[in-house]
Amino acid sequence: MSTPERLIDSTRELLWERGYVGTSPKAILERAGAGQGSMYHHFKGKPDLALAAIRRTAEEMRATAEAVLDGPGTPYERIEAYLLRERDVLRGCPIGRLTMDPEVVASSELRAPVDQTLDWLRERLARIVEEGREQGQFAASLDGEEIAAAVLATVQGGYVLARASGSPAAFDTAVRGLLSLLAPHENHDRPA
Amino acid sequence: MSTPERLIDSTRELLWERGYVGTSPKAILERAGAGQGSMYHHFKGKPDLALAAIRRTAEEMRATAEAVLDGPGTPYERIEAYLLRERDVLRGCPIGRLTMDPEVVASSELRAPVDQTLDWLRERLARIVEEGREQGQFAASLDGEEIAAAVLATVQGGYVLARASGSPAAFDTAVRGLLSLLAPHENHDRPA
DNA sequence: GTCTATAGACGGATAGAC
DNA sequence: GTCTATCCGTCTATAGAC
């Protein structure tokens, strides 16, 4: 792998583990096995390298999610598959965790890929919910955007609960709770 | 206010804004208007001061939540009140954000108050859900612990979505979505 | 109790040799 | 392209005067 690639990879790992403020160029270089000169030759500095790393992570996450969301099954089943897909729960979300970083949030450049990724996910989920609503799988009273946001929030918040307790169990519990609320019943379209 | 109190307050603010790794003793001292000597006289060091600050924040959050959760209303209304209570959404959760901090998670001492606070909230919410289930306000098929975790996760994840987009709207959307799923219908106890 | 002085390591970046 | 040397400021903590 080329040196710039190794630098981006090391940065991605460290951003995931320690966030932007917690990651130093020195740590990146050590992990990548490169010297200072290499980094400043290929990148303008820490923010520039972080931007490349965040964009890469965002692309990858989007591709992973797309594979599940475009998969087979009813709308409910696809949302279920998204929620139950294997995750390294205790590591948290490599994109979501960046929203807790003051310097990422303060920089519109660094925040943009984070925002776009979560926004894309929300729209994608919202369309699936609408689809399920048209098919009568979900209650007509539900709103696609709202359910999509709740699904995404449950995932992001599930990571918080899991990391607080030091166990992935809390994530799974929250997801099961949401799924039990979302589960299709026989007569959603019954008149109130 | 005494010097130790001012130090704790400054630390609480900075932990909320920048997290543990992003907060330096120097910044704390500047905000508190104190010198190095004061801080190391009253506290053993940065971890010790942070622990005092986190404990204080945890206590306060618990008291705030308790006021809403022990308030009047049906179980659904109390959960609704908790979800809709006024929040400084873009600042995030002063307790939840600490779970994204590598040094907080790595220290069982610093993590303990975070874990305990979220755990307490979950149990408190779970009991309210169970209560609503017994009263027939919630479907018998729902699990108190699971719904409680989903409620908490929606809040924590709502902060993530809001901070990503730079607007509190996403938080509100997620909360509305969850409430629409949780809203009492007329016939939950109807046989499937 | 609070202050200043000092310490050694690290943060982020530049310069210039090879 | 990559390396080492160097820079100035900050990080966390200790020492010791007042």
Side-chain angles (χ1 to χ4, degrees):
Chain A
M1 196 164 39
S2 70
T3 300
E5 287 300 310
R6 272 184 296 120
L7 286 168
I8 289 176
D9 269 25
S10 303
T11 306
R12 289 178 61 194
E13 290 174 18
L14 283 162
L15 286 180
W16 195 354
E17 292 169 20
R18 307 190 39 86
Y20 184 84
V21 294
T23 297
S24 69
K26 191 187 181 191
I28 294 170
L29 298 173
E30 272 167 15
R31 194 172 291 216
Q36 302 256 65
S38 288
M39 168 175 156
Y40 285 100
H41 174 75
H42 295 288
F43 300 94
K44 290 205 254 316
K46 178 181 167 178
D48 189 41
L49 176 50
L51 182 57
I54 293 173
R55 282 185 174 148
R56 185 72 60 85
T57 298
E59 274 172 38
E60 207 171 90
M61 162 158 300
R62 192 165 149 157
T64 304
E66 200 147 33
V68 177
L69 295 175
D70 284 354
T74 66
Y76 175 80
E77 283 166 352
R78 278 181 287 156
I79 291 173
E80 187 183 33
Y82 173 73
L83 285 167
L84 296 178
R85 92 156 207 258
E86 211 177 314
R87 295 165 193 274
D88 209 339
V89 170
L90 286 181
R91 294 183 77 188
C93 173
I95 291 297
R97 74 111 53 237
L98 296 172
T99 62
M100 293 302 135
D101 202 299
E103 307 204 2
V104 170
V105 171
S107 154
S108 52
E109 271 212 295
L110 293 179
R111 190 168 56 81
V114 174
D115 186 19
Q116 285 159 15
T117 302
L118 293 174
D119 206 52
W120 175 86
L121 260 171
R122 245 186 325 159
E123 282 182 29
R124 195 75 198 73
L125 283 165
R127 274 205 307 271
I128 295 175
V129 171
E130 290 297 340
E131 209 180 302
R133 217 167 56 126
E134 285 161 18
Q135 298 174 11
Q137 194 178 26
F138 295 136
S141 61
L142 298 187
D143 177 85
E145 290 282 343
E146 288 180 5
I147 302 304
V151 168
L152 224 45
T154 299
V155 169
Q156 293 296 327
Y159 287 126
V160 170
L161 302 184
R163 286 174 62 91
S165 65
S167 152
F171 181 98
D172 299 331
T173 304
V175 163
R176 277 201 305 278
L178 183 66
L179 283 173
S180 73
L181 291 172
L182 201 56
H185 301 284
E186 265 101 75
N187 61 345
H188 274 115
D189 39 359
R190 160 192 56 79
Chain B
M1 197 163 38
S2 71
T3 299
E5 286 300 310
R6 273 183 295 120
L7 287 168
I8 289 177
D9 268 26
S10 304
T11 306
R12 290 179 60 194
E13 289 174 18
L14 283 162
L15 287 180
W16 196 353
E17 291 168 22
R18 306 191 41 86
Y20 184 84
V21 294
T23 297
S24 68
K26 190 187 181 192
I28 294 170
L29 298 172
E30 272 167 14
R31 194 172 290 216
Q36 301 257 67
S38 286
M39 169 176 155
Y40 285 101
H41 173 75
H42 295 287
F43 300 94
K44 289 203 258 313
K46 178 181 166 178
D48 189 42
L49 176 49
L51 182 57
I54 293 173
R55 282 184 173 149
R56 185 70 62 85
T57 298
E59 273 173 38
E60 208 172 88
M61 163 159 299
R62 191 167 152 156
T64 303
E66 200 148 32
V68 177
L69 295 175
D70 284 353
T74 66
Y76 175 80
E77 284 166 351
R78 278 181 286 155
I79 291 173
E80 186 183 34
Y82 173 72
L83 284 166
L84 297 178
R85 91 158 209 256
E86 211 176 314
R87 294 164 194 274
D88 210 338
V89 171
L90 288 181
R91 295 183 76 188
C93 173
I95 291 298
R97 76 110 52 236
L98 297 173
T99 62
M100 293 302 134
D101 202 298
E103 307 204 2
V104 170
V105 172
S107 154
S108 52
E109 270 212 294
L110 292 179
R111 191 168 57 81
V114 174
D115 186 19
Q116 285 160 16
T117 302
L118 293 174
D119 205 53
W120 174 85
L121 260 170
R122 246 187 324 160
E123 281 182 30
R124 197 72 199 73
L125 283 163
R127 274 207 306 272
I128 294 175
V129 172
E130 290 297 338
E131 209 180 303
R133 218 166 56 126
E134 284 160 19
Q135 298 174 12
Q137 192 176 27
F138 296 137
S141 61
L142 299 186
D143 177 85
E145 289 282 343
E146 289 180 3
I147 302 304
V151 167
L152 223 46
T154 299
V155 169
Q156 293 296 327
Y159 288 126
V160 171
L161 301 184
R163 286 173 62 91
S165 65
S167 152
F171 181 98
D172 299 330
T173 304
V175 163
R176 277 200 305 278
L178 184 67
L179 283 173
S180 73
L181 291 171
L182 201 56
H185 302 284
E186 264 102 74
N187 61 344
H188 274 115
D189 40 357
R190 160 192 56 80

